[in-house]
Structures are given as C-alpha cells and as structure tokens.
Amino acid sequence: MSPEPTDLRGVIVATALPYKENPSAPAGLEVDYDKFAEHCDWLISNGCRGVGPNGSLGEYSSLTDAERRKVIQVAVETVGDRGVVVAGVHGPGWHQAKHWAELAAEDGAHGLLSLPPTMYRANDSQVIEHYAKLSEVGLPIMIYNNPIDTKVDLRPDLVAEIAKLPNISAIKEFSGDVRRLFEIKELCDIDVVAGADDVLFELMADGAVGWFAGFPNVFPAESVEIYEHMLAGRFLEARELYKHLVAVFRWDSRVEFVQAIKLSMDLVGRYGGPCRPPRGPLIADHHAQVTADTERAVAALEKYRAVAA
C-alpha cells in the first residue's frame, strides 16, 4: 500500500514502547528498539494502516531527546512503504513542537500528531499560533483534542479556525462527546478521527473516518475488522464484534491507560512490560480488573471466531 501524502485515515496505532532493564538507563529502563520494530511490523502485518510513535501511550514525555528521535527513525524504517508513520510532536511551546516536527519530516514521517501547547492553558490565539507554526513544516497534521490532560478544549468553533491553516488534515477527538462530530463537520471540512477506543462505534456511526487507537496494540486484526465493518456501514456486524471488546477498550480513557494496555499486551502473549516514571505499576485492584477484562475479551473472541467458522 502506498499511502496518500495527506491522508491520515484508517487504523493508526498509538504504539506502546517496550523497555528492557539497564541500570545505567533513565529509571533503569532502556528503550528496546528491536522489540519496538517487531511490534510495528506485527501491527502493519495485521492490517493496521500505520503507527503513531511518541504519543502519550508511547511515553514521549519520559524519553530523552535522542530516544525520542530514534523511535521515529525505527518506525519509519520498519513500516517502509507499507503504511504511514504519524509522529507525535507534542511540546509545551510551538518552538519545541516545531523542532520535533522538523526532525520527523527529515526522518521520513508521513504526518504529525500534535496536542495544543502542553503544561499551559493556552488561549485561542495561542493555540492557533501553535498549529500555524507547525503547518510551516509541510507535513499533514492531525490536531489532537484532549481537554482532560491539556486543560485546553479544541471546541468545534476553534477547530474550524485551525482548519483554515495549511496542512491541517484531521482531528483526533478525545473529548468523549460524540455529539461534536456533526458540529465540527457543519463548521469545516476536516477528517474526524476517533481518539478514544470506547467511543469508536458511536463516532464512526456519525461519520468518523479514522481511528488513532490504543488497544489495537493488543487486538490489531479484530480492531481493523471492526473499523472496516463500520466504514462499509455494516453496523450490526461491527457491533457484534465490538461488544466483546468495549469493556477492555474503556481502559483507553482512564488515567492508567498506558499500564493497562501494556498489561493487556502481556496477557495475550505480546510484550508490554513496565513504564517509566511517573507511571508506576497498576494497583492490585486495577491489575485484577484489566486481567479480567482482557481474559473475558479473549474468551469471547474465541467463541466469536468459532461461530464465524
């Protein structure tokens, strides 16, 4: 598949980042680039459109500058011409985000994912300036609305203003308010991408054309199947599969989503592993609930496959 240069649609996986123990590495954990490359390859081989390294799930804020750049380089080299690499370029100011965007462009990324300014409750004009500076890099941009973490809400009217800038391709909608899709589309022409796994069905029923996703790190083939059913309007088929996964998908919208997804990966035979600070291990109750939700999903999928066969 040769990706369209401005198309950030499809199932693009916010890739989890594996570590291996090394006492001399930050927090005693060294990025395992070999495992990361294997994981990116597995996701593409299971039908995902692309990978999204250096997102929140990729623990970008816990990486050194050298690590953050190499993660993109490994993803680009691994994916090749089989899909897209959408690099997370989140930063407190536009000068930092633009720096990461320029490096991502130099290293061959196909697009950018960017929050508004982090660690600062920016006003509308500052948010627009942030994206205007990023647009100068020339890669297609998926803006990212996560008012829970950033305290900045990309309201539909603000999205419409940002969409006037060059190279603004899509919005990753993580507010949880599925009603916003229609309002955004009434105000501007921008692709709306599901940003939270547990509202995928509702957002795609309303017309979302992409999914920037967390739990496809665990269930890539099944996730692609749901997405393709929804895109084709086969809602009953999609719902039958989705209902087996939505309980575990809900962890994508919780504070502990990185640890939860990594644990779920471990439970299905992938490598998730530990997280760097500030993320610590799950508390016992959460560990038990993620385990139960994952095991229930796996068992339900086995029955689903058996009936389908």
Side-chain angles (χ1 to χ4, degrees):
M1 176 196 56
S2 178
E4 293 296 328
T6 59
D7 175 2
L8 302 182
R9 300 179 177 188
V11 180
I12 299 174
V13 185
T15 43
L17 190 65
Y19 299 105
K20 55 187 176 183
E21 292 186 4
N22 180 346
S24 63
L29 295 172
E30 175 186 352
V31 177
D32 192 328
Y33 296 107
D34 290 337
K35 275 192 172 67
F36 178 64
E38 188 275 333
H39 187 57
C40 289
D41 179 73
W42 182 71
L43 294 172
I44 297 297
S45 298
N46 274 274
C48 298
R49 171 76 195 287
V51 297
N54 286 348
S56 301
L57 183 53
E59 300 177 68
Y60 76 93
S61 59
S62 298
L63 301 180
T64 68
D65 287 357
E67 290 169 336
R68 189 167 172 178
R69 184 173 191 184
K70 188 169 181 180
V71 164
I72 301 297
Q73 293 171 333
V74 170
V76 168
E77 181 180 356
T78 302
V79 171
D81 62 358
R82 298 180 295 159
V84 294
V85 175
V86 181
V89 295
H90 318 303
W94 67 256
H95 58 302
Q96 291 139 315
K98 187 175 181 181
H99 166 72
W100 291 114
E102 289 169 342
L103 292 181
E106 183 179 331
D107 291 335
H110 302 92
L112 309 173
L113 175 73
S114 179
L115 288 162
T118 60
M119 301 192 294
Y120 174 68
R121 190 173 294 182
N123 63 31
D124 288 2
S125 64
Q126 293 161 346
V127 170
I128 292 169
E129 179 187 36
H130 188 88
Y131 288 117
K133 294 296 185 180
L134 277 182
S135 75
E136 294 172 1
V137 176
L139 288 179
I141 299 168
M142 182 185 296
I143 65 176
Y144 182 4
N145 186 35
N146 188 342
I148 301 164
D149 288 344
T150 65
K151 310 304 179 186
V152 176
D153 188 4
L154 301 184
R155 310 174 313 275
D157 62 302
L158 180 54
V159 173
E161 290 301 310
I162 299 168
K164 295 175 183 178
L165 298 169
N167 301 311
I168 302 298
S169 176
I171 176 169
K172 176 181 176 180
E173 232 306 312
F174 195 84
S175 70
D177 184 356
V178 298
R179 299 170 298 179
R180 286 193 171 195
L181 186 144
F182 282 117
E183 189 175 357
I184 291 169
K185 297 302 289 184
E186 288 163 10
L187 295 174
C188 63
D189 183 20
I190 189 173
D191 285 345
V192 179
V193 170
D197 294 353
D198 59 337
V199 291
L200 172 71
F201 186 91
E202 294 82 356
L203 279 173
M204 289 201 69
D206 286 350
V209 293
W211 181 15
F212 207 97
F215 268 93
N217 280 286
V218 186
F219 304 106
E222 294 82 2
S223 297
V224 170
E225 185 176 345
I226 293 169
Y227 175 83
E228 290 180 346
H229 279 317
M230 292 298 296
L231 200 63
R234 298 187 295 267
F235 300 136
L236 293 179
E237 292 88 339
R239 189 175 65 185
E240 183 61 28
L241 184 51
Y242 183 71
K243 72 181 184 182
H244 300 309
L245 293 167
V246 69
V248 74
F249 279 5
R250 291 190 191 108
W251 285 97
D252 184 53
S253 297
R254 296 178 180 172
V255 172
E256 306 84 3
F257 73 103
V258 180
Q259 299 97 312
I261 289 172
K262 283 189 163 185
L263 172 57
S264 195
M265 291 169 67
D266 288 331
L267 291 168
V268 300
R270 302 297 301 166
Y271 178 81
C275 300
R276 274 188 183 165
R279 295 177 178 89
L282 291 169
I283 64 171
D285 286 351
H286 288 166
H287 191 286
Q289 190 61 55
V290 173
T291 300
D293 290 341
T294 302
E295 291 177 346
R296 188 163 53 247
V298 170
L301 289 174
E302 288 177 353
K303 291 182 181 179
Y304 172 84
R305 295 297 181 201
V307 171

